[in-house]
Amino acid sequence: MDMHTVVVGTSGTTAQDVIAVARGNARVELSEAAVSALAASREIVEALAAKPEPVYGVSTGFGALASRHISHELRAQLQRNIVRSHAAGMGPRVEREVVRALMFLRLKTVASGHTGVRPAVARTMADVLNAGITPVVHEYGSLGCSGDLAPLSHCALTLMGEGDAEGPDGTVRPAGELLAAHGITPVELREKEGLALLNGTDGMLGMLVMALADLKNLYTCADITAALSLEALLGTDKVLAPELHAIRPHPGQGVSADNMLRVLAGSGLTGHFQEDEAPRVQDAYSVRCAPQVNGAGRDTLDYAAVVAARELASSVDNPVVLPEGRVESNGNFHGAPVAYVLDFLAIVAADLGSITERRTDRLLDKNRSHGLPPFLADDAGVDSGLMIAQYTQAALVSEMKRLAVPASADSIPSSAMQEDHVSMGWSAARKLRTAVDNLARIVAVELYAATRAVEIRAARGLTPAPASQAAIRALRAAGVQGPGPDRFLAPDLAAADAFVRAGKLVAAVEPVTGPLA
């Protein structure tokens, strides 16, 4: 069932609405103001189309072919042709949630009244979303300049009743059949409308919005698992004191330290770092500097959210219809602002994965774990414990480092050198999605190892923090087993991964800690 109805107006949208439509199947409606703005801008386009002077996107070709003036009788064909020719994607299908976000965000720009699209076209876009029809969009075809051209073209093709789409039952069928089954009349595109449906950063922006939501959860989870590892290693929580972080006032650092401190409140394991079998003056960097690393990542998320909010409030098209009646070419479709933060997020996700893996490795190494059994095994030698779980985590971290190489540092010219500098923002978004998936798995492995280690300490008479106990109970209730002889590990790791992604780790500890940031 739909969560709620999202009303699309003239002034952009919110991240929450994007996620509601993309992931929650929320219903979409156009506001009265949007319908009025659409009608007004369409009048401007039709007036310009009637004039003998050529206007880019209205009565000319596109890109490197913009110098040709197109006669009235060929303009409908021109709009159909641009959609058909640009629907040239290849490779695997893009996820349903990404396509829904892309379609919704294109509707957001259309509804701004700056594109010259008729209200009927915008209503059809909403109808397709509401029917649960998802165009088949392919992995490759966008350079992130002139927008996400091929992905958006495959969506526009569905509006025309052409190409393939997935129905609400998950079956791929010809788009025309799906539209007919839901009583939707295919659109017949007129001047500028084909171009207006293709020119935008909607795909990369949708993926940015969803990545930010996922990473927010993962950063809170990483604060929790870092605290669990500190506890399992008998580390000191003195490094989390607010006064220490106040003298280096990066906001995220203070938030992460506070999260960790609240998770560790009441622990009987912390503070033994100078008393155990391998005393040390201070904890290792991966333990002691967790707030600094996690916090810097949080600050990066905040910056990326600012960029996303600006883009969500934008009207991205070329040319655009201005209120005074001008239709002007511009470069607002260039994806650079979005591409940069997508790459930045892949960098911080890789570093968070890296520090997380180092703590896991420390938990498993008897020379550095301060009395824990080798690999947290039940009977080391007979049992291998979590040895290979750490291998898997290390492999994920290694891939994260490759995914952190920025896509936006690259550019490849296209359209006969007319589009001679591109953002590669779509590519940055696609690799960030993989990075986010990998990070969830990496955090899940630390959770699996740290909870086992804490339970081993508890069996020896030390009392874990109440929040740690709550996390362990919830994890075990979710089917993830605790210490014991070797068993088939993959199902446990998959269950821990699902536990983290679904927000269940945060939900488990917050009744004890209060809301975590």
Side-chain angles (χ1 to χ4, degrees), residues 142 144 148 201-209 335 338-339 342 423 425-426 429:
S142 173
D148 293 319
T201 57
D202 309 294
M204 65 182 91
L205 176 58
M207 286 186 274
L208 172 60
V209 167
V338 182
L342 288 163
S423 77
W426 173 272

Side-chain angles (χ1 to χ4, degrees), residues 67-379:
S67 58
R68 178 178 171 182
H69 183 248
I70 308 298
S71 61
H72 284 275
E73 60 272 16
L74 293 177
R75 289 179 190 172
Q77 181 180 339
L78 169 68
Q79 300 301 319
R80 289 194 301 271
N81 285 352
I82 190 175
V83 172
R84 289 168 176 165
S85 67
H86 285 45
M90 295 182 74
R93 281 181 58 192
V94 171
E95 304 86 355
R96 181 178 186 271
E97 66 177 18
V98 172
V99 179
R100 285 185 61 81
L102 181 153
M103 290 194 295
F104 174 67
L105 288 168
R106 182 76 321 224
L107 177 58
K108 174 267 299 181
T109 280
V110 166
S112 70
H114 291 296
T115 66
V117 168
R118 287 170 294 148
V121 176
R123 289 194 183 99
T124 303
M125 296 170 76
D127 289 343
V128 169
L129 281 166
N130 293 337
I133 297 171
T134 307
V136 171
V137 173
H138 299 280
E139 183 87 18
Y140 301 103
S142 173
L143 299 178
C145 204
S146 285
D148 293 319
L149 285 175
L152 283 163
S153 297
H154 282 275
C155 293
L157 201 65
T158 294
L159 299 179
M160 293 165 49
E162 301 181 18
D164 291 327
E166 179 186 289
D169 63 354
T171 302
V172 174
R173 297 167 57 190
E177 291 181 12
L178 283 168
L179 295 186
H182 289 84
I184 301 172
T185 302
V187 299
E188 295 182 8
L189 299 175
R190 299 181 187 171
E191 290 95 342
K192 195 184 178 301
E193 290 180 335
L195 187 61
L197 295 177
L198 314 186
N199 249 314
T201 57
D202 309 294
M204 65 182 91
L205 176 58
M207 286 186 274
L208 172 60
V209 167
M210 289 186 284
L212 285 168
D214 294 339
L215 287 168
K216 185 178 188 302
N217 169 56
L218 291 177
Y219 266 83
T220 305
C221 289
D223 289 340
I224 297 168
T225 59
L228 287 165
S229 290
L230 183 153
E231 190 174 29
L233 292 167
L234 305 179
T236 177
D237 59 0
K238 291 182 178 179
V239 296
L240 305 174
E243 56 270 26
L244 292 176
H245 299 280
I247 62 175
R248 195 190 190 195
H250 293 288
Q253 178 178 324
V255 168
S256 286
D258 182 64
N259 282 350
M260 291 179 65
L261 199 58
R262 286 198 276 156
V263 171
L264 292 169
S267 174
L269 278 71
T270 58
H272 295 274
F273 71 115
Q274 291 180 326
E275 306 166 5
D276 61 31
E277 296 175 6
R280 66 273 194 200
V281 174
Q282 55 192 7
D283 291 317
Y285 282 11
S286 61
V287 177
R288 186 173 14 132
C289 300
Q292 285 76 12
V293 174
N294 294 17
R298 284 177 171 277
D299 291 341
T300 304
L301 296 189
D302 288 344
Y303 169 64
V306 169
V307 173
R310 291 170 182 158
E311 197 75 357
L312 288 167
S314 300
S315 178
V316 181
D317 192 19
N318 180 49
V320 292
V321 181
L322 297 174
E324 60 269 30
R326 291 158 47 212
V327 174
E328 296 285 358
S329 292
N330 67 93
N332 283 345
F333 51 74
H334 199 287
V338 182
Y340 295 159
V341 293
L342 288 163
D343 279 333
F344 204 168
L345 291 177
I347 291 169
V348 299
D351 199 40
L352 179 58
S354 181
I355 195 171
T356 300
E357 183 275 332
R358 286 294 79 205
R359 287 190 298 268
T360 305
D361 181 64
R362 186 166 288 272
L363 289 168
L364 305 188
D365 184 351
K366 69 180 182 64
N367 296 312
R368 294 180 291 138
S369 67
H370 308 285
L372 291 169
F375 303 105
L376 304 180
D378 188 62
D379 184 5

Side-chain angles (χ1 to χ4, degrees), residues 350 395-406 431:
L396 289 163
V397 169
S398 186
E399 183 177 50
M400 293 279 281
K401 294 173 183 176
R402 295 191 294 273
L403 292 167
V405 176
K431 70 184 182 66

